[in-house]
Amino acid sequence: MSLTASRAKAVPGSRGTPPPRTPAQRRQALGLDRDAWFLLLPALIPILVLSVGPLLYGVTLAFTDAQAGRTAATQFVGLDNLLDLRHDSLFWESFRIGLIWAVSVTALQFVLAMGLALLLNQNLRFRWLARTLALVPWAMPEVVVGIMWRLVYHSDAGVLNKTLSQLGLLHENVDWLADLSYALPAVIAVGVWAGMPQTTVVLLAGLQNVPHELREAAQLDGAGLWRRFTTVTWPALKPVVLAITSLNFIWNFNSFGLVYVLTQGGPGGQTRLPMLFAYEEAFKYGQFGYAAAMGLVMVAVIAVLLTLFLRKKLKEDAA
């Protein structure tokens, strides 16, 4: 062994061997600052009690035979509930309807919200009033929105039937929420209307962060409106779009209150989303364990779909 090597081995902090770190330095490197954890406790405790706790309880319940009004003790049944779900055609049909609902509402919300955000980002007269009115649906509770649209869709006294009849586009009244052909599209339209404002606000905030200098430089280079959008605006908005579409898909797939008030899953199960199906199984038929297994499957499938979607988008952005 050479003299230089022996010195490097013997002297801490040399280039060959880093000096040993103290426990405080290791905690700081891992982000485990005690003071920071203490400051986070007021936010972490409600999350643990109101979110993580019920989630873990629901996961545990999915492996039991828990039922309402049962006097016998709840038994652990392992994977029996999940195996029964494989052959439950009604559940998978509701899952298919839920995917149609979530994809349709999320896509339409994004397209319409993008157009509205681009409009509200312009230097228009009374822009402040337009931005305020655009937030009205977001400020309304889901129950109120559902009741209001039930009146709009009413077969006899509804505004929609009356307006279409006056325009000559309808010759007889349609019960939009009770017709097998129109119920799901009608509910999707309400979902888009109710959820579009939050997407608009997020996209508008993203548009305002796009540097004006880049748009002006592209305009001076002769780029048209569409060219400026695709080369300047859209690349800057990609992270915002990825975040809001992912969140919207989760929120829409887990929708309950709006559809419940509008149709309660009818007619004939045409609007029975998975969350509605699980709700009925738990609180109408008292099968808590089976309903919890449905929720577990929904969480797992949506997590897989979102993971694949996000991984694909991140690879596209990195390319």
Side-chain angles (χ1 to χ4, degrees):
M1 183 182 294
S2 64
L3 180 61
T4 305
S6 61
R7 286 180 178 176
K9 183 177 180 180
V11 179
S14 63
R15 183 173 298 180
T17 305
R21 292 184 295 183
T22 63
Q25 290 174 331
R26 286 196 294 269
R27 287 197 301 269
Q28 186 176 5
L30 294 173
L32 302 177
D33 192 347
R34 186 177 301 175
D35 295 336
W37 280 111
F38 182 76
L39 293 174
L40 285 174
L41 280 179
L44 286 176
I45 291 176
I47 292 175
L48 292 174
V49 173
L50 301 177
S51 296
V52 179
L55 176 62
L56 295 177
Y57 177 71
V59 172
T60 304
L61 204 64
F63 300 98
T64 67
D65 60 352
Q67 297 179 11
R70 183 176 178 177
T71 56
T74 299
Q75 301 293 328
F76 178 79
V77 296
L79 300 177
D80 288 354
N81 290 328
L82 298 175
L83 294 176
D84 291 340
L85 274 177
R86 293 190 308 169
H87 308 290
D88 193 337
S89 58
L90 292 178
F91 171 72
W92 293 112
E93 176 62 18
S94 73
F95 205 95
R96 183 187 69 85
I97 295 172
L99 287 177
I100 294 174
W101 153 272
V103 172
S104 301
V105 173
T106 301
L108 292 173
Q109 279 179 351
F110 172 72
V111 172
L112 296 177
M114 176 62 77
L116 184 58
L118 290 171
L119 179 63
L120 295 178
N121 196 43
Q122 304 298 318
N123 190 16
L124 303 175
R125 194 176 182 183
F126 299 112
R127 183 174 60 177
W128 63 271
L129 179 60
R131 289 180 177 179
T132 303
L133 294 177
L135 293 176
V136 170
W138 195 14
M140 298 174 64
E142 284 188 336
V143 175
V144 176
V145 173
I147 294 173
M148 181 186 72
W149 278 95
R150 280 182 65 91
L151 296 176
V152 172
Y153 284 139
H154 195 277
S155 58
D156 297 324
V159 176
L160 182 60
N161 278 334
K162 185 176 182 180
T163 302
L164 294 177
S165 298
Q166 291 177 347
L167 294 175
L169 301 176
L170 196 66
H171 302 292
E172 60 180 10
N173 290 341
V174 176
D175 195 347
W176 300 95
L177 297 178
D179 192 287
L180 294 175
S181 302
Y182 297 113
L184 185 57
V187 172
I188 288 174
V190 179
V192 173
W193 181 86
M196 192 175 68
Q198 63 186 10
T199 309
T200 303
V201 170
V202 174
L203 293 177
L204 181 59
L207 287 172
Q208 291 179 345
N209 287 326
V210 178
H212 294 283
E213 296 80 6
L214 296 179
R215 287 199 288 255
E216 292 175 355
Q219 187 175 5
L220 291 175
D221 290 339
L225 186 62
W226 177 250
R227 184 72 174 175
R228 293 198 301 271
F229 176 78
T230 56
T231 58
V232 178
T233 305
W234 179 253
L237 277 181
K238 270 189 176 182
V240 177
V241 171
L242 182 63
I244 192 60
T245 52
S246 302
L247 291 174
N248 280 344
F249 182 79
I250 296 173
W251 290 330
N252 291 327
F253 188 81
N254 292 326
S255 293
F256 173 80
L258 183 62
V259 181
Y260 184 80
V261 174
L262 284 170
T263 63
Q264 296 186 1
Q270 292 297 309
T271 61
R272 186 184 288 126
L273 305 183
M275 195 61 66
L276 279 171
F277 193 87
Y279 170 82
E280 291 179 352
E281 200 67 30
F283 298 102
K284 187 175 181 180
Y285 303 110
Q287 301 294 329
F288 293 133
Y290 193 56
M294 293 180 185
L296 184 60
V297 170
M298 285 187 282
V299 170
V301 172
I302 294 304
V304 170
L305 291 177
L306 281 176
T307 300
L308 295 176
F309 171 74
L310 293 175
R311 182 179 297 177
K312 180 182 178 181
K313 287 295 183 183
L314 291 175
K315 286 183 178 178
E316 292 177 355
D317 293 343

